[in-house]
Amino acid sequence: MQKKYIIIVAGGKGIRMGSDVPKQFLILVNKPVLMHTLQVFYEYDSAMQIILCLPPDHFSYWKSLCIEYSFEIPHLLVEGGDTRFESVQNGLRFVDRDALVGIHDGVRPLVSRKTIYTCYEEALKQGNAIPCIEINDSVRMMNQGGNAVIDRQMIRIIQTPQVFQSNLVLESHFKHAGEGITDDAGVIEYFGHTVHLVEGNRENIKITSPEDLLIAQSIIQHRGLAEHF
Amino acid sequence: MQKKYIIIVAGGKGIRMGSDVPKQFLILVNKPVLMHTLQVFYEYDSAMQIILCLPPDHFSYWKSLCIEYSFEIPHLLVEGGDTRFESVQNGLRFVDRDALVGIHDGVRPLVSRKTIYTCYEEALKQGNAIPCIEINDSVRMMNQGGNAVIDRQMIRIIQTPQVFQSNLVLESHFKHAGEGITDDAGVIEYFGHTVHLVEGNRENIKITSPEDLLIAQSIIQHRGLAEHF
């Protein structure tokens, strides 16, 4: 069986939150957002190597939080870079060849175990697996003259973890400068590899606003109740 | 000042909810979803004529709910059709020329007053106004060979109320058969009119799953608290 890694990237300064605390450290129900994120992967597979990329000036705060919340999930703490892409590169320096590596946003604590399972299983077979969801609303695309309706069934919203055979991503991510890249799938696509989409989970939102935090709280508190509706 | 109408369409049978009760009748905090929706428009402008399109076999249930919840917001109850488009057509039969008419999904109770204001104001100036939001995540588009990344800043997710000068929509909606149409902006676009996008509000979700109902509940219960984060 191939070794599994998950690189969790949390570089956000939380500017959009209107808060001094970077959003990955905000308290979600009973502990910081980021601890929920690490926990999902640990509970899915405790043998998975967790690599956490944080800005160096957040290290001591993170360590004090771990003590305060008795957080003992093993992980490797790695210095993040100036951009998300550089942080991913730094994390990849600790990843072996011939393994599977996932790259995940620290502020997505609501990824389901099913999504994690699907991504690693499909990456094993296909070389990569990128979770996505469909859009329920009408969609329009901006153009020079204004905008035009497009078929919403053609559009997918992309999530994380984006999982790859490590050889693939180790080769791609150190050749690319990271410019214009919004996610890791974009890097392998740049080098001509086919991006393999799989089904994500709708609750797997990125927490980027106070409203997102409230929504995440509601989802966690009601998990398991939904089927009674 | 032009007369203002809002056509609220609620034809859903609630199949996706895994529930016998159509989703517009599910209880959100303290009353059915649909009552919240009517209330937002009434509180925005009590002189606005509310036209509610419901399947005829829901009429008696709706009336009993209105008694149970002492719901007294004035509205005209109109028979919905087999499709959303036909329901809108039925509602439009009660709309005068030279007025402003909005068309809104009954299961979007979280539209903000600001969105309503913007839509009616801009429709007055531009002929129509369609609320939309941007996407925070990466986006991909399916194609024959698989999929490719597209610039997320080019994409808008479309909401309601979609507001029009009534002459425009009265002329368009009775010429069109409604095939392949997912919203009312698509109808006027079909006849060559420019669709004018304005800013919606992110919480203005369409309630189509049990999770959506929980999210809506959380947003309502925490409204006004968000700025303290």
PDB file of all heavy atoms in Angstrom, chain B residues 24-25 27 32 35 60-71:
ATOM      1  N   GLN B  24     -41.243  24.603   0.605  1.00  0.00           N
ATOM      2  CA  GLN B  24     -41.657  25.967   0.961  1.00  0.00           C
ATOM      3  C   GLN B  24     -42.528  25.991   2.225  1.00  0.00           C
ATOM      4  O   GLN B  24     -42.716  27.044   2.816  1.00  0.00           O
ATOM      5  CB  GLN B  24     -42.398  26.651  -0.199  1.00  0.00           C
ATOM      6  CG  GLN B  24     -43.698  26.019  -0.620  1.00  0.00           C
ATOM      7  CD  GLN B  24     -43.501  25.011  -1.739  1.00  0.00           C
ATOM      8  OE1 GLN B  24     -42.413  24.458  -1.908  1.00  0.00           O
ATOM      9  NE2 GLN B  24     -44.551  24.755  -2.503  1.00  0.00           N
ATOM     10  N   PHE B  25     -43.045  24.826   2.620  1.00  0.00           N
ATOM     11  CA  PHE B  25     -43.902  24.783   3.816  1.00  0.00           C
ATOM     12  C   PHE B  25     -43.153  24.309   5.062  1.00  0.00           C
ATOM     13  O   PHE B  25     -43.721  24.283   6.158  1.00  0.00           O
ATOM     14  CB  PHE B  25     -45.101  23.854   3.566  1.00  0.00           C
ATOM     15  CG  PHE B  25     -45.992  24.295   2.445  1.00  0.00           C
ATOM     16  CD1 PHE B  25     -46.442  23.387   1.495  1.00  0.00           C
ATOM     17  CD2 PHE B  25     -46.381  25.627   2.324  1.00  0.00           C
ATOM     18  CE1 PHE B  25     -47.265  23.783   0.456  1.00  0.00           C
ATOM     19  CE2 PHE B  25     -47.206  26.033   1.285  1.00  0.00           C
ATOM     20  CZ  PHE B  25     -47.649  25.113   0.343  1.00  0.00           C
ATOM     21  N   ILE B  27     -40.847  24.257   8.325  1.00  0.00           N
ATOM     22  CA  ILE B  27     -40.745  25.304   9.351  1.00  0.00           C
ATOM     23  C   ILE B  27     -39.298  25.772   9.469  1.00  0.00           C
ATOM     24  O   ILE B  27     -38.389  24.996   9.704  1.00  0.00           O
ATOM     25  CB  ILE B  27     -41.244  24.782  10.718  1.00  0.00           C
ATOM     26  CG1 ILE B  27     -42.667  24.245  10.595  1.00  0.00           C
ATOM     27  CG2 ILE B  27     -41.176  25.910  11.771  1.00  0.00           C
ATOM     28  CD1 ILE B  27     -43.671  25.214   9.992  1.00  0.00           C
ATOM     29  N   PRO B  32     -43.387  28.714   8.447  1.00  0.00           N
ATOM     30  CA  PRO B  32     -42.996  28.115   7.164  1.00  0.00           C
ATOM     31  C   PRO B  32     -42.099  29.045   6.329  1.00  0.00           C
ATOM     32  O   PRO B  32     -42.260  30.277   6.369  1.00  0.00           O
ATOM     33  CB  PRO B  32     -44.340  27.881   6.464  1.00  0.00           C
ATOM     34  CG  PRO B  32     -45.323  27.731   7.584  1.00  0.00           C
ATOM     35  CD  PRO B  32     -44.854  28.688   8.639  1.00  0.00           C
ATOM     36  N   MET B  35     -43.625  31.913   4.343  1.00  0.00           N
ATOM     37  CA  MET B  35     -44.081  33.111   5.078  1.00  0.00           C
ATOM     38  C   MET B  35     -42.928  34.093   5.302  1.00  0.00           C
ATOM     39  O   MET B  35     -43.122  35.305   5.242  1.00  0.00           O
ATOM     40  CB  MET B  35     -44.708  32.707   6.415  1.00  0.00           C
ATOM     41  CG  MET B  35     -46.031  31.987   6.219  1.00  0.00           C
ATOM     42  SD  MET B  35     -46.830  31.612   7.798  1.00  0.00           S
ATOM     43  CE  MET B  35     -48.239  30.649   7.175  1.00  0.00           C
ATOM     44  N   SER B  60     -55.466  24.729  -0.087  1.00  0.00           N
ATOM     45  CA  SER B  60     -56.157  24.578   1.197  1.00  0.00           C
ATOM     46  C   SER B  60     -55.140  24.428   2.333  1.00  0.00           C
ATOM     47  O   SER B  60     -55.349  24.931   3.436  1.00  0.00           O
ATOM     48  CB  SER B  60     -57.135  23.405   1.165  1.00  0.00           C
ATOM     49  OG  SER B  60     -56.412  22.204   0.968  1.00  0.00           O
ATOM     50  N   TYR B  61     -54.022  23.754   2.034  1.00  0.00           N
ATOM     51  CA  TYR B  61     -52.986  23.596   3.060  1.00  0.00           C
ATOM     52  C   TYR B  61     -52.380  24.950   3.415  1.00  0.00           C
ATOM     53  O   TYR B  61     -52.212  25.276   4.593  1.00  0.00           O
ATOM     54  CB  TYR B  61     -51.900  22.630   2.569  1.00  0.00           C
ATOM     55  CG  TYR B  61     -50.846  22.334   3.608  1.00  0.00           C
ATOM     56  CD1 TYR B  61     -51.185  21.795   4.844  1.00  0.00           C
ATOM     57  CD2 TYR B  61     -49.491  22.600   3.358  1.00  0.00           C
ATOM     58  CE1 TYR B  61     -50.218  21.535   5.801  1.00  0.00           C
ATOM     59  CE2 TYR B  61     -48.513  22.343   4.307  1.00  0.00           C
ATOM     60  CZ  TYR B  61     -48.890  21.813   5.527  1.00  0.00           C
ATOM     61  OH  TYR B  61     -47.931  21.557   6.474  1.00  0.00           O
ATOM     62  N   TRP B  62     -52.102  25.750   2.381  1.00  0.00           N
ATOM     63  CA  TRP B  62     -51.556  27.087   2.613  1.00  0.00           C
ATOM     64  C   TRP B  62     -52.522  27.934   3.445  1.00  0.00           C
ATOM     65  O   TRP B  62     -52.124  28.621   4.398  1.00  0.00           O
ATOM     66  CB  TRP B  62     -51.248  27.763   1.279  1.00  0.00           C
ATOM     67  CG  TRP B  62     -50.893  29.233   1.375  1.00  0.00           C
ATOM     68  CD1 TRP B  62     -51.627  30.275   0.909  1.00  0.00           C
ATOM     69  CD2 TRP B  62     -49.718  29.799   1.985  1.00  0.00           C
ATOM     70  NE1 TRP B  62     -50.996  31.466   1.178  1.00  0.00           N
ATOM     71  CE2 TRP B  62     -49.807  31.199   1.842  1.00  0.00           C
ATOM     72  CE3 TRP B  62     -48.606  29.273   2.629  1.00  0.00           C
ATOM     73  CZ2 TRP B  62     -48.840  32.078   2.316  1.00  0.00           C
ATOM     74  CZ3 TRP B  62     -47.631  30.142   3.107  1.00  0.00           C
ATOM     75  CH2 TRP B  62     -47.749  31.518   2.952  1.00  0.00           C
ATOM     76  N   LYS B  63     -53.804  27.867   3.099  1.00  0.00           N
ATOM     77  CA  LYS B  63     -54.792  28.665   3.842  1.00  0.00           C
ATOM     78  C   LYS B  63     -54.880  28.231   5.298  1.00  0.00           C
ATOM     79  O   LYS B  63     -55.014  29.063   6.199  1.00  0.00           O
ATOM     80  CB  LYS B  63     -56.160  28.577   3.161  1.00  0.00           C
ATOM     81  CG  LYS B  63     -56.213  29.395   1.858  1.00  0.00           C
ATOM     82  CD  LYS B  63     -57.510  29.186   1.094  1.00  0.00           C
ATOM     83  CE  LYS B  63     -57.481  29.951  -0.226  1.00  0.00           C
ATOM     84  NZ  LYS B  63     -58.601  29.549  -1.119  1.00  0.00           N
ATOM     85  N   SER B  64     -54.758  26.930   5.532  1.00  0.00           N
ATOM     86  CA  SER B  64     -54.804  26.455   6.920  1.00  0.00           C
ATOM     87  C   SER B  64     -53.549  26.900   7.681  1.00  0.00           C
ATOM     88  O   SER B  64     -53.613  27.241   8.864  1.00  0.00           O
ATOM     89  CB  SER B  64     -54.973  24.934   6.980  1.00  0.00           C
ATOM     90  OG  SER B  64     -53.791  24.293   6.537  1.00  0.00           O
ATOM     91  N   LEU B  65     -52.411  26.920   6.982  1.00  0.00           N
ATOM     92  CA  LEU B  65     -51.178  27.416   7.610  1.00  0.00           C
ATOM     93  C   LEU B  65     -51.316  28.900   7.974  1.00  0.00           C
ATOM     94  O   LEU B  65     -50.869  29.334   9.038  1.00  0.00           O
ATOM     95  CB  LEU B  65     -49.973  27.237   6.674  1.00  0.00           C
ATOM     96  CG  LEU B  65     -49.395  25.831   6.526  1.00  0.00           C
ATOM     97  CD1 LEU B  65     -48.308  25.825   5.443  1.00  0.00           C
ATOM     98  CD2 LEU B  65     -48.818  25.307   7.841  1.00  0.00           C
ATOM     99  N   CYS B  66     -51.938  29.670   7.075  1.00  0.00           N
ATOM    100  CA  CYS B  66     -52.100  31.108   7.337  1.00  0.00           C
ATOM    101  C   CYS B  66     -52.930  31.339   8.594  1.00  0.00           C
ATOM    102  O   CYS B  66     -52.646  32.256   9.384  1.00  0.00           O
ATOM    103  CB  CYS B  66     -52.752  31.807   6.137  1.00  0.00           C
ATOM    104  SG  CYS B  66     -51.637  31.968   4.720  1.00  0.00           S
ATOM    105  N   ILE B  67     -53.942  30.491   8.792  1.00  0.00           N
ATOM    106  CA  ILE B  67     -54.758  30.612  10.012  1.00  0.00           C
ATOM    107  C   ILE B  67     -53.925  30.195  11.226  1.00  0.00           C
ATOM    108  O   ILE B  67     -53.846  30.909  12.225  1.00  0.00           O
ATOM    109  CB  ILE B  67     -56.037  29.750   9.887  1.00  0.00           C
ATOM    110  CG1 ILE B  67     -56.948  30.354   8.805  1.00  0.00           C
ATOM    111  CG2 ILE B  67     -56.764  29.646  11.232  1.00  0.00           C
ATOM    112  CD1 ILE B  67     -58.060  29.432   8.341  1.00  0.00           C
ATOM    113  N   GLU B  68     -53.250  29.044  11.098  1.00  0.00           N
ATOM    114  CA  GLU B  68     -52.469  28.509  12.224  1.00  0.00           C
ATOM    115  C   GLU B  68     -51.415  29.506  12.706  1.00  0.00           C
ATOM    116  O   GLU B  68     -51.171  29.648  13.904  1.00  0.00           O
ATOM    117  CB  GLU B  68     -51.807  27.202  11.774  1.00  0.00           C
ATOM    118  CG  GLU B  68     -51.070  26.470  12.884  1.00  0.00           C
ATOM    119  CD  GLU B  68     -50.422  25.178  12.377  1.00  0.00           C
ATOM    120  OE1 GLU B  68     -50.798  24.695  11.279  1.00  0.00           O
ATOM    121  OE2 GLU B  68     -49.511  24.677  13.071  1.00  0.00           O
ATOM    122  N   TYR B  69     -50.765  30.197  11.752  1.00  0.00           N
ATOM    123  CA  TYR B  69     -49.674  31.099  12.120  1.00  0.00           C
ATOM    124  C   TYR B  69     -50.123  32.570  12.157  1.00  0.00           C
ATOM    125  O   TYR B  69     -49.279  33.466  12.179  1.00  0.00           O
ATOM    126  CB  TYR B  69     -48.490  30.922  11.164  1.00  0.00           C
ATOM    127  CG  TYR B  69     -47.768  29.607  11.381  1.00  0.00           C
ATOM    128  CD1 TYR B  69     -48.181  28.449  10.736  1.00  0.00           C
ATOM    129  CD2 TYR B  69     -46.707  29.517  12.279  1.00  0.00           C
ATOM    130  CE1 TYR B  69     -47.550  27.227  10.959  1.00  0.00           C
ATOM    131  CE2 TYR B  69     -46.074  28.311  12.518  1.00  0.00           C
ATOM    132  CZ  TYR B  69     -46.486  27.170  11.847  1.00  0.00           C
ATOM    133  OH  TYR B  69     -45.865  25.979  12.086  1.00  0.00           O
ATOM    134  N   SER B  70     -51.425  32.792  12.125  1.00  0.00           N
ATOM    135  CA  SER B  70     -51.972  34.154  12.129  1.00  0.00           C
ATOM    136  C   SER B  70     -51.242  35.033  11.125  1.00  0.00           C
ATOM    137  O   SER B  70     -50.825  36.157  11.422  1.00  0.00           O
ATOM    138  CB  SER B  70     -51.855  34.781  13.529  1.00  0.00           C
ATOM    139  OG  SER B  70     -52.454  33.947  14.473  1.00  0.00           O
ATOM    140  N   PHE B  71     -51.097  34.502   9.919  1.00  0.00           N
ATOM    141  CA  PHE B  71     -50.331  35.195   8.872  1.00  0.00           C
ATOM    142  C   PHE B  71     -51.268  36.085   8.083  1.00  0.00           C
ATOM    143  O   PHE B  71     -52.180  35.607   7.400  1.00  0.00           O
ATOM    144  CB  PHE B  71     -49.668  34.153   7.966  1.00  0.00           C
ATOM    145  CG  PHE B  71     -48.747  34.740   6.934  1.00  0.00           C
ATOM    146  CD1 PHE B  71     -47.480  35.207   7.293  1.00  0.00           C
ATOM    147  CD2 PHE B  71     -49.123  34.820   5.600  1.00  0.00           C
ATOM    148  CE1 PHE B  71     -46.619  35.730   6.342  1.00  0.00           C
ATOM    149  CE2 PHE B  71     -48.273  35.354   4.647  1.00  0.00           C
ATOM    150  CZ  PHE B  71     -47.022  35.809   5.020  1.00  0.00           C
TER     151      PHE B  71
END
